[in-house]
Amino acid sequence: MRVRIVIGAVLTAIITSALFGLVTFIFAYTVEDRIFGGALESEVIIQQAHWKKHSRLAEPSREYMRIYRQTSELPRDLRAQFDPGSDKTEFFGTADRYYHVNQFTLPNDGGTAIAVAEVGAYLVVRPRRDKMIRALLVVATFIALVSGGIGYFIASQAVSPLSKLAADLSAQGNEAVPIIDSSAYRTKEVAILASGLEHAFDRVRAFVGRERAFTRDASHELRTPLAVIRSGAELLSSRIAQDDVDAGPIKRIEAAADDMVLILDLLLTLAREDGAPQAVMPLLPLVEKAVFYASERFSHSKVRVVVDLSPDQTATINPVVTQLILNNIIGNAFQHADHSTLTVSGSGSVLSVTDTGPGLGDKPMLEPFHKGTSSTGDGLGLSIVRRLCSQSSIGLSIKSGDDTGTCFTLDFAHTDEVLLGKEQP
C-alpha cells in the first residue's frame, strides 16, 4: 500500500508537470503571436490613414515590417505559400525566417496591399523551445522526486498502524487464533479494525474452546458405558462355548466396543491442532479389518472382494485415521455396490479401492448431508473421508461415472485432491 501511494503521488506530479508545461508553451506561443499580430494591425491602420491623406504608402514604422502592393513582390519563400484567398496569417520561411501577414484594403479605391512582418530574429519562444523543454523536464523530475518523498512520508504515517497490525498478526503464526490488543492502536480507523478483529477472534477462540471441551468431555464420558459394554460382552463370552450360535455376535460386540474406543481416541487426537501422530505401518491388516467389518455390518451384500496387496506394503500413517477412511470407503461399496466386484490394490505409497457398482454420480454426493437415493445413512461418510484425508495430508483421488463404478485412490506421500476427475485447488 505504501508503494502504491508513493507511485500515485509521483504519477500525479508528473502528469501535473506535463500539463503545466503544455499550458506554458501554449500561453507563450499565444502571447508572442498576439504581440506581433497586434503590431502588424497597428501598422495597417497607420498605412491606411497615410494613404487616405497622401494617396501613397508610408515607410513602415518598424524595421522588420514591409508593405507590398503585389503578391509577386513577396519574398520567394513566402510567395510560394501565400494564398490571397486564405485566412492564414502566419508562415514559416527558410533560414529561420517567420512571417506574419495581413492583407488589407487601401481607402479611396487604392486597391489592396500586403503588410508583412518578418519576425524570425525577434522570436523568443520558438528558438528556445528545446532549452525550455529540457528545463521543464528538470523541474518536473525535481517535483516528482519531492512529491515521491512527501508521498512516502505521508504513506508511512498513514500505513504504519496498519503495518503494525499486520506484523502483530504475522508474528503469531503458530497461534490457532491470533490475540490482538486493540488498545495498542491509536489511529481511529485502525483501532476500529483492530477492535473488530479482537472481538471476532475472541468469539472464534471461545467457539474453538467449547468444541474442544465438548470433544474431550464427550470422549471421556463415553468411555464408561463402552467399558461396561465390553466387560459385559467379555463376561458373556466366558460363559458361552466358542461353537455356540451366540458366540459370533458377542465377539462382534467386543470388536465394536474396541473400535469405539479407538474412535474416541481419534476424536481427541483430531481436536488437537497438531493432528494425529503417524508411524510406518503395513496396510494389508487395515484393509482386511475394513473388509471384515463391512461384511459383518452388511451381511446381506453380495460383493465379491479381491485384495491384491503385498503384505510388505507400508506407509507413514495414523492407523486409526486410515482405518476409519478404509471403513467408510469399503463399507460404502458394500452398501451401494451390491453384486459388484470390489478390488483393493496398491504399490508404494498408493492404495486403490475400486468397485464395479453404479458410481457416485455428481460431486454434491461428496458434500456433507448429500447422499444417494438408496442410502440409509446421514450422507456424512464420504465427507468424513475427505476431511480426514485433508487433515492427515493424504492425497485423495476419486474417479466415478454412471454405471462404470468408482475408484478411490489414497496417496500417503502426496496431498493432491482430485474429485470425480477434477483436481481441487
Side-chain angles (χ1 to χ4, degrees):
M1 183 181 292
R2 183 185 290 108
V3 174
R4 288 197 293 267
I5 293 176
V6 173
I7 291 175
V10 171
L11 288 177
T12 301
I14 291 175
I15 294 172
T16 303
S17 300
L19 291 175
F20 175 77
L22 180 62
V23 171
T24 300
F25 267 104
I26 293 174
F27 178 77
Y29 273 111
T30 302
V31 169
E32 190 172 59
D33 289 340
R34 289 288 180 86
I35 290 174
F36 291 119
L40 197 59
E41 289 178 1
S42 298
E43 181 65 27
V44 168
I45 293 173
I46 293 173
Q47 293 295 336
Q48 287 176 331
H50 192 275
W51 183 275
K52 185 176 182 180
K53 186 176 182 179
H54 302 288
S55 297
R56 62 183 177 83
L57 295 171
E59 287 293 324
S61 59
R62 292 176 174 82
E63 61 181 7
Y64 56 83
M65 293 184 182
R66 296 289 184 272
I67 309 299
Y68 300 97
R69 295 301 308 273
Q70 303 293 331
T71 303
S72 60
E73 299 174 358
L74 295 174
R76 181 179 301 174
D77 54 352
L78 175 60
R79 184 169 65 243
Q81 305 176 63
F82 180 71
D83 181 6
S86 174
D87 294 331
K88 186 175 181 181
T89 60
E90 298 180 31
F91 301 90
F92 283 97
T94 58
D96 295 331
R97 286 190 288 268
Y98 191 78
Y99 299 99
H100 279 259
V101 179
N102 191 332
Q103 186 176 13
F104 61 98
T105 303
L106 295 172
N108 301 330
D109 297 327
T112 61
I114 304 170
V116 177
E118 197 287 294
V119 298
Y122 301 90
L123 293 175
V124 175
V125 178
R126 288 176 177 84
R128 296 168 177 81
R129 180 181 57 196
D130 294 341
K131 291 183 179 179
M132 292 177 66
I133 291 175
R134 286 195 292 270
L136 286 173
L137 288 175
V138 172
V139 173
T141 302
F142 176 75
I143 293 174
L145 291 175
V146 172
S147 300
I150 295 174
Y152 182 82
F153 175 76
I154 295 175
S156 297
Q157 295 298 313
V159 178
S160 178
L162 193 59
S163 299
K164 181 179 183 302
L165 176 59
D168 290 345
L169 290 174
S170 299
Q172 302 181 44
N174 294 328
E175 290 290 334
V177 182
I179 300 174
I180 294 179
D181 181 11
S182 59
S183 62
Y185 306 95
R186 303 300 180 186
T187 306
K188 180 180 178 181
E189 292 79 3
V190 178
I192 293 174
L193 175 61
S195 178
L197 289 175
E198 183 180 22
H199 292 314
F201 287 153
D202 286 344
R203 293 180 62 186
V204 172
R205 194 178 299 107
F207 174 78
V208 172
R210 288 194 301 271
E211 289 294 309
R212 288 181 176 177
F214 171 78
T215 304
R216 181 183 63 247
D217 295 343
S219 300
H220 175 74
E221 294 300 327
L222 287 173
R223 288 180 184 276
T224 300
L226 283 174
V228 172
I229 292 173
R230 196 180 192 293
S231 61
E234 289 177 350
L235 181 61
L236 288 174
S237 179
S238 64
R239 295 179 179 179
I240 296 176
Q242 293 295 325
D243 57 352
D244 194 287
V245 69
D246 294 326
I250 292 175
K251 289 294 183 182
R252 288 197 292 273
I253 292 174
E254 291 181 8
D258 291 337
D259 287 341
M260 283 298 298
V261 173
L262 292 176
I263 292 172
L264 291 178
D265 290 337
L266 173 65
L267 291 176
L268 286 173
T269 302
L270 294 180
R272 300 202 309 263
E273 186 180 358
D274 53 359
Q278 296 183 337
V280 178
M281 304 283 293
L283 296 176
L284 183 58
L286 301 179
V287 171
E288 291 175 340
K289 185 175 181 180
V291 171
F292 173 78
Y293 179 74
S295 63
E296 290 291 326
R297 184 181 176 190
F298 305 103
S299 56
H300 63 281
S301 180
K302 304 300 181 182
V303 174
R304 176 174 174 268
V305 180
V306 177
V307 178
D308 183 15
L309 204 64
S310 170
D312 298 327
Q313 183 177 354
T314 60
T316 303
I317 58 173
N318 177 273
V320 180
V321 172
T322 306
Q323 189 68 68
L324 280 176
I325 293 173
L326 292 174
N327 285 352
N328 275 283
I329 294 175
I330 294 176
N332 191 70
F334 268 78
Q335 184 178 7
H336 302 294
D338 196 11
H339 295 89
S340 68
T341 299
L342 176 68
T343 303
V344 183
S345 59
S347 62
S349 62
V350 177
L351 180 68
S352 296
V353 180
T354 307
D355 66 64
T356 57
L360 292 179
D362 267 338
K363 181 180 177 180
M365 292 280 291
L366 303 172
E367 302 298 331
F369 304 108
H370 287 79
K371 58 181 182 177
T373 55
S374 62
S375 175
T376 58
D378 297 320
L380 292 172
L382 295 182
S383 174
I384 291 174
V385 168
R386 288 188 64 187
R387 189 176 61 187
L388 289 174
C389 287
S390 176
Q391 187 159 358
S392 301
S393 299
I394 299 174
L396 173 64
S397 174
I398 304 176
K399 297 180 181 179
S400 182
D402 295 335
D403 299 324
T404 59
T406 304
C407 177
F408 290 83
T409 301
L410 302 176
D411 191 338
F412 299 99
H414 299 87
T415 60
D416 295 336
E417 185 180 70
V418 181
L419 304 181
L420 302 181
K422 297 181 179 180
E423 186 169 353
Q424 303 302 302

